[in-house]
Amino acid sequence: MNIAQQNQWSRGQLESVANCPACSSENRAVANFTRRDNEGAMPDLWRMVQCIDCQSIWLDPRPDAQSLPRAYDDYYTHDTEADDVPQNGGSGLAWRLINGYLNRRFGMHRQPESGWGYAIFSLIEPWRLKLDYYGRHLTYNRVGRPGCLLDIGCGNGAFLDRAKSMGWQVHGCEIDPKAVAACRSIGIDVIEGDAFAPQLVEQSFDVITMSHVIEHVHDQPALLQRAHDLLRPGGWLWLAVPNPQSIGLFVSNSAWHALHPPYHLCIPSQAILTNWLKEQGFSEIQLLRRGAHVRQIWRISQAIAQREVIVAPSPGRLFAWRLLADALATISPYRTEETVLLARKPD
């Protein structure tokens, strides 16, 4: 099927996006990324293009506003998910050390634990950064004592459940009714709606988190402005989004898992994100290192490459690239799979 001539997809209508949604540039790279969705659940072939000027990536054509919600009929956030660092990971020494680190770092109360965990993992930088990401960097020395937290696009509530164990008063909003039901099944009541839901009008928060949300929405600066409005003076925004300048994209090309069509409409570059945040009134913007993190998520890209018959590196070369990616992600935030940042609303 010739994508350029389509005006429909399997669940509705398409709309063309000629200019980069991030910077309005007309300069797109000649090469593009073409494939089906990550799960191969839909027959549609999608094209994502990269902006020469700002390096952001966008979907063209994309589902129109009326049909886009139909893509989420069988989206993965409907289901409860296994915790990245599960409570029942076992009683071995490694788990006791991990629990000890998380308890000391984030105020959790995980058992069994070893008090040596904090000292040991503080010395192992790749793992320390990985565990800090698990708690979304909400440590006392970064954002202050636990207060009122909103997770925008909270999915099935896995992080809200975690934040609750860290002492936060948790709130969430989610547009997917099936994901909302998943939240409520684990005892977390959330708003069925987006960040502009009327129930949030009179509320304010000490911290707002958005994990892989902004790339799903049409008007990204408006969402950042809404987050700024909902924060109390001195409050913090934590944000995670795929990084279009990652080593993973270079290695996997069209098979890169974070392209994730048709769900990801625009993946902004770090420079664009930083500019947007400044324009919306945020300050103290900090790009955060990610640590060792690519092994599991690169397996998704490998599976996509195999299914979609996309050329992939040999196992040996892939292993070498993985070592390099994790090493660079430990010392720098610029080539990681994700852009992760904190930004503050001034007092």
Side-chain angles (χ1 to χ4, degrees), residues 151-300:
D151 189 22
I152 295 175
C154 60
N156 56 33
F159 173 70
L160 287 177
D161 192 42
R162 190 181 315 153
K164 187 176 179 181
S165 75
M166 293 159 57
W168 291 88
Q169 303 167 38
V170 298
H171 304 266
C173 60
E174 170 59 54
I175 62 172
D176 186 338
K178 294 180 181 178
V180 170
C183 288
R184 292 172 179 168
S185 73
I186 60 172
I188 297 177
D189 193 19
V190 302
I191 294 169
E192 185 177 327
D194 61 17
F196 298 89
Q199 299 95 314
L200 292 171
V201 170
E202 301 299 326
Q203 298 193 54
S204 59
F205 303 92
D206 299 293
V207 164
I208 292 176
T209 64
M210 286 193 287
S211 179
H212 293 268
V213 171
I214 197 168
E215 65 268 31
H216 292 254
V217 304
H218 286 86
D219 193 340
Q220 297 166 317
L223 179 57
L224 294 176
Q225 181 61 62
R226 179 59 168 165
H228 184 274
D229 293 342
L230 289 171
L231 280 170
R232 294 168 182 163
W236 289 89
L237 171 68
W238 183 95
L239 182 70
V241 64
N243 180 10
Q245 295 165 291
S246 71
I247 290 178
L249 176 60
F250 175 78
V251 170
S252 299
N253 202 271
S254 292
W256 189 45
H257 71 102
L259 291 173
H260 201 18
Y263 305 99
H264 289 180
L265 306 180
C266 176
I267 306 173
S269 65
Q270 292 179 348
I272 286 291
L273 264 179
T274 301
N275 288 340
W276 281 344
L277 289 165
K278 290 177 180 177
E279 290 170 359
Q280 307 312 323
F282 285 96
S283 63
E284 299 181 42
I285 300 166
Q286 308 168 27
L287 290 170
L288 304 175
R289 291 172 294 147
R290 185 65 173 81
H293 68 297
V294 307
R295 182 177 183 180
Q296 294 298 327
I297 52 182
W298 279 19
R299 286 179 177 175
I300 302 172

Side-chain angles (χ1 to χ4, degrees), residues 9 11 63-74 175-176 263:
W9 64 298
R11 301 185 185 184
D64 64 10
Q66 289 71 38
S67 65
L68 181 61
R70 296 177 200 140
Y72 292 87
D73 288 345
D74 44 14
I175 62 172
D176 186 338
Y263 305 99

Side-chain angles (χ1 to χ4, degrees), residues 12-48:
Q13 298 292 316
L14 290 168
E15 60 184 17
S16 176
V17 188
N19 294 358
C20 173
C23 73
S24 301
S25 171
E26 299 178 353
N27 299 321
R28 60 174 70 191
V30 174
N32 57 63
F33 310 102
T34 304
R35 65 170 170 85
R36 294 184 298 159
D37 63 278
N38 280 14
E39 304 298 327
M42 294 173 277
D44 311 280
L45 195 63
W46 301 99
R47 178 183 63 201
M48 300 194 78

Side-chain angles (χ1 to χ4, degrees), residues 113-173:
E113 68 143 3
S114 168
W116 286 100
Y118 182 78
I120 290 173
F121 281 111
S122 292
L123 298 174
I124 307 175
E125 192 76 347
W127 275 89
R128 181 187 72 78
L129 294 168
K130 183 181 180 74
L131 291 173
D132 283 355
Y133 174 86
Y134 177 72
R136 297 195 179 176
H137 304 91
L138 302 183
T139 59
Y140 174 73
N141 66 321
R142 283 189 184 272
V143 302
R145 296 186 182 279
C148 197
L149 178 146
L150 173 67
D151 189 22
I152 295 175
C154 60
N156 56 33
F159 173 70
L160 287 177
D161 192 42
R162 190 181 315 153
K164 187 176 179 181
S165 75
M166 293 159 57
W168 291 88
Q169 303 167 38
V170 298
H171 304 266
C173 60

